[in-house]
Amino acid sequence: MGPHPAVAAIRLAVRRVLHDVLNEVSRTTTAHPAGAPHDGPEGPARAGELPLVLVACSGGADSMALASALAFEARKLPVRAGAVTVDHGLQAGSDLRAAEVAARLTALRLDPVEAIAVTVGREGGPEAAARDARYAALDEAAERLGAAAVLLGHTRDDQAETVLLGLARGSGIRSLSGMAAVSGAAGRYRRPFLHLDRQTARKACLVQSLPVWDDPMNADPAYTRSRLRHEGLPALEKSLGKGVVEALARTAQLCRDDADALDRWAADADATVRDEAGLLDCAKLYALPPAVRRRVLRRAAIAEGAPAGSLFARHIEEVDRLITGWRGQGAINLPGRVVARRQGGRLVIRQG
């Protein structure tokens, strides 16, 4: 008799990702034979060791299901499996909780297992600050341990929430495309569960008798995502019927495909709208479709030092008006002390 359907589903999702990682490691190794220098932690670059895949685990049902599936599948493949749990220090006893999660991960025979304490700042609000601190810790651990990939337990439900949050902010289709299955530097982060619902992960933990921790912050109405999860989405499903989560996740993928195509178009267009000195020609920019033009402007601002995470649609719209609504207005100040101004039919974007 085979495993429970929920267990089989999470294992299959992880198996597919591990095969992808191993194929990429193989290509990297072929391109950079032993002894040849190459950048990045990917591949068995450390004295012939098997590639290491880490799971980021909070102790919740999603990440514990992911950890258990990684531990199971890694034993059948030429890969090492480890784990990292991050202590955000936002609740009393969080250090003890992190140590407990680390012990559970070790019991799954994951190795190495690390509990990393971080300091959460205030920039961008509590949720964004915690996320930034968490990813910084995961990046540092992946670099230090030479991990080929870090698995994250985001589910289809998380994807639907992300799409709705982007919609509420009035963001463009890149934000509505939600979380990518592969993201981060050199494709470090992998999300195997984006096509699985949260209930499948919880069921997998239940039938395997895996203890899970339900973070009280996930039910705290002070946090936007928590309100959306416990009030917003249920209200939508009550009004529109079942299938809202699946439809939002499908929307995310369609938006991602469109956004990727527009990004490629903008990258190609960038070289065609510059003069001999490399400055952006306003007339040529005006001739581009608005969606492509704004992407060219965003690329230019980021290239000059504007932080991508702080560069919002309203910033790009202001710069765009220097092209489409020119009335002699002054320079536009952007995040990162970047300034955009129109001079002699050219758009000049520079550090201020």
Side-chain angles (χ1 to χ4, degrees), residues 26-345:
S26 177
R27 287 196 295 271
T28 301
T29 305
T30 301
H32 303 279
H38 60 94
D39 297 329
E42 63 274 15
R46 295 189 175 185
E49 288 184 344
L50 295 177
L52 171 66
V53 175
L54 298 172
V55 58
C57 184
S58 67
D62 301 342
S63 58
M64 281 301 297
L66 182 58
S68 71
L70 173 62
F72 181 85
E73 294 297 331
R75 290 195 288 270
K76 303 184 293 182
L77 295 169
V79 64
R80 293 180 296 136
V84 174
T85 186
V86 177
D87 171 17
H88 298 85
L90 297 177
Q91 302 170 29
S94 63
D95 55 338
L96 299 178
R97 173 64 60 186
E100 183 180 340
V101 172
R104 292 176 184 172
L105 295 169
T106 300
L108 290 173
R109 291 191 286 173
L110 295 170
D111 181 38
V113 172
E114 293 192 358
I116 301 176
V118 299
T119 300
V120 177
R122 297 182 178 181
E123 186 174 352
E127 293 169 282
R131 182 178 60 249
D132 290 345
R134 180 168 59 253
Y135 277 101
L138 293 174
D139 281 335
E140 186 278 330
E143 292 286 348
R144 174 167 45 80
L145 297 172
V150 178
L151 307 189
L152 305 175
H154 297 121
T155 65
R156 186 169 62 194
D157 301 79
D158 296 308
Q159 185 75 298
E161 293 162 8
T162 301
V163 172
L164 284 177
L165 289 170
L167 185 63
R169 288 192 298 265
S171 303
I173 65 169
R174 177 55 72 187
S175 180
L176 298 184
S177 65
M179 296 173 286
V182 179
S183 66
R188 168 175 292 154
Y189 293 108
R190 311 293 173 114
R191 297 177 174 87
F193 289 175
L194 286 182
H195 66 290
L196 299 177
D197 61 31
R198 190 174 289 140
Q199 192 58 37
T200 297
R202 186 167 288 277
K203 185 67 174 179
C205 289
L206 179 64
V207 299
Q208 294 179 101
S209 300
L210 289 173
V212 300
W213 174 59
D214 290 317
D215 187 345
M217 293 179 68
N218 290 334
D220 188 343
Y223 297 99
T224 305
R225 186 178 285 269
S226 176
R227 294 195 302 274
L228 179 60
R229 179 174 301 177
H230 297 288
E231 300 171 19
L233 269 172
L236 280 175
E237 292 207 326
K238 183 178 180 180
S239 298
L240 303 177
K242 295 294 183 180
V244 169
V245 168
E246 293 87 341
L248 288 169
R250 186 165 58 252
T251 296
Q253 185 56 58
L254 293 171
C255 286
R256 181 164 299 278
D257 292 342
D258 290 349
D260 288 345
L262 287 167
D263 284 347
R264 287 192 294 271
W265 188 351
D268 292 339
D270 187 90
T272 70
V273 295
R274 294 183 181 271
D275 63 15
E276 297 80 2
L279 297 177
L280 292 165
D281 185 301
C282 294
K284 293 178 179 178
L285 283 169
Y286 186 86
L288 292 174
V292 178
R293 181 175 61 246
R294 289 171 184 157
R295 279 168 167 76
V296 172
L297 298 178
R298 179 178 173 82
R299 284 167 52 90
I302 292 173
E304 290 299 325
S310 302
L311 195 61
F312 302 133
R314 58 183 174 83
H315 295 127
I316 302 304
E317 288 170 2
E318 290 180 17
V319 178
D320 194 43
R321 279 194 285 272
L322 296 177
I323 309 300
T324 62
W326 174 242
R327 297 184 304 277
Q329 58 264 48
I332 305 297
N333 294 315
L334 301 174
R337 299 177 62 189
V338 174
V339 176
R341 58 171 54 86
R342 179 165 173 157
Q343 294 179 340

